Amino acid sequence: KAGVTQTPRYLIKTRGQQVTLSCSPISGHRSVSWYQQTPGQGLQFLFEYFSETQRNKGNFPGRFSGRQFSNSRSEMNVSTLELGDSALYLCASTGGGVGKNEQYFGPGTRLTVT
Amino acid sequence: GQNIDQPTEMTATEGAIVQINCTYQTSGFNGLFWYQQHAGEAPTFLSYNVLDGLEEKGRFSSFLSRSKGYSYLLLKELQMKDSASYLCAAFTGGGNKLTFGTGTQLKVEL
């Protein structure tokens, strides 16, 4: 089974621009969660999508948004980029079902905002 | 609120045993994850404890005490490749939300 894939792997953007990141979960997994990782704050939960619906949301401003498609692929969007948005963005897929809560992470997208 | 504490750094010797502790205070706790993360890479799943007790998986074991809000990861027969950050994360349900600690940077020396 293929793992979680994320595109692009690296991205450089300028302040004020917007960016869209993509995540394809493990085949058969319906839940996709997004996290931001920075040296100062560690891994922080952004939001989770399940069956095309946002099921959970972290404490991030409205500039951060996401969506999920019928094939479970998910995208996250950050508008009006700020320098502080420079981070590794990770998505994780979960199979669901009783006792199957393990989250498997993709390789991440490293975003640099200049 | 959610609070997860783990030591920032630990150093151990190749071949030895090391225990990385994690304490948590969360609402709606459903389980405790441990992940390993090498520099520049994504976290990789190590273990998931739901019930109290010890779960062993090869050189790695993980323990959970729900009443004490405490978990530890035990690494045996340490190898140089075990040098990495170890992340403790509480699964708080209401969807698949994980709240992570800041990670313990483990350095394995000769």
Side-chain angles (χ1 to χ4, degrees):
Chain A
K1 235 183 204 182
V4 181
T5 58
Q6 291 186 246
T7 56
R9 294 292 312 278
Y10 302 91
L11 206 50
I12 300 175
K13 290 286 189 178
T14 305
R15 270 181 303 175
Q17 288 186 314
Q18 74 160 12
V19 67
T20 299
L21 312 181
S22 180
C23 172
S24 292
I26 293 169
S27 178
H29 285 194
R30 295 166 62 189
S31 166
V32 174
S33 302
W34 288 90
Y35 295 85
Q36 180 196 65
Q37 187 174 32
T38 58
Q41 299 296 320
L43 264 160
Q44 292 188 292
F45 175 79
L46 281 157
F47 31 64
E48 182 219 357
Y49 286 86
F50 179 82
S51 293
E52 302 179 65
T53 301
Q54 188 181 85
R55 190 160 66 171
N56 220 327
K57 190 177 189 307
N59 297 322
F60 278 81
R63 300 185 296 109
F64 292 81
S65 62
R67 59 178 175 168
Q68 186 179 36
F69 302 94
S70 59
N71 62 357
S72 294
R73 187 178 71 87
S74 177
E75 289 181 346
M76 69 163 281
N77 183 277
V78 188
S79 62
T80 320
L81 284 166
E82 301 177 0
L83 294 178
D85 297 333
S86 294
L88 180 66
Y89 290 88
L90 294 158
C91 79
S93 86
T94 307
V98 177
K100 294 192 180 297
N101 297 310
E102 292 88 345
Q103 292 194 20
Y104 297 94
F105 284 86
T109 295
R110 184 162 296 282
L111 172 65
T112 302
V113 182
T114 62
Chain B
Q2 319 281 29
N3 191 44
I4 299 183
D5 288 316
Q6 51 182 132
T8 305
E9 294 178 339
M10 298 183 73
T11 302
T13 306
E14 189 179 36
I17 299 173
V18 71
Q19 178 175 311
I20 303 174
N21 296 323
C22 170
T23 58
Y24 62 89
Q25 289 179 301
T26 65
S27 55
F29 177 81
N30 284 333
L32 199 291
F33 284 87
W34 283 96
Y35 285 87
Q36 179 193 61
Q37 187 176 28
H38 285 99
E41 298 181 11
T44 55
F45 171 79
L46 290 177
S47 68
Y48 174 47
N49 292 64
V50 178
L51 302 175
D52 285 1
L54 184 69
E55 292 203 7
E56 299 184 72
K57 197 183 293 185
R59 295 190 299 115
F60 292 15
S61 302
S62 56
F63 172 84
L64 177 66
S65 168
R66 295 176 71 117
S67 61
K68 295 182 179 177
Y70 169 69
S71 173
Y72 67 74
L73 180 69
L74 194 71
L75 292 77
K76 304 175 187 174
E77 301 169 15
L78 280 172
Q79 302 174 10
M80 298 298 289
K81 68 177 182 179
D82 296 329
S83 293
S85 180
Y86 291 85
L87 302 164
C88 166
F91 176 51
T92 54
N96 288 310
K97 176 181 178 180
L98 291 181
T99 301
F100 282 85
T102 52
T104 298
Q105 188 65 45
L106 174 65
K107 182 179 179 183
V108 180
E109 299 179 327
L110 290 172

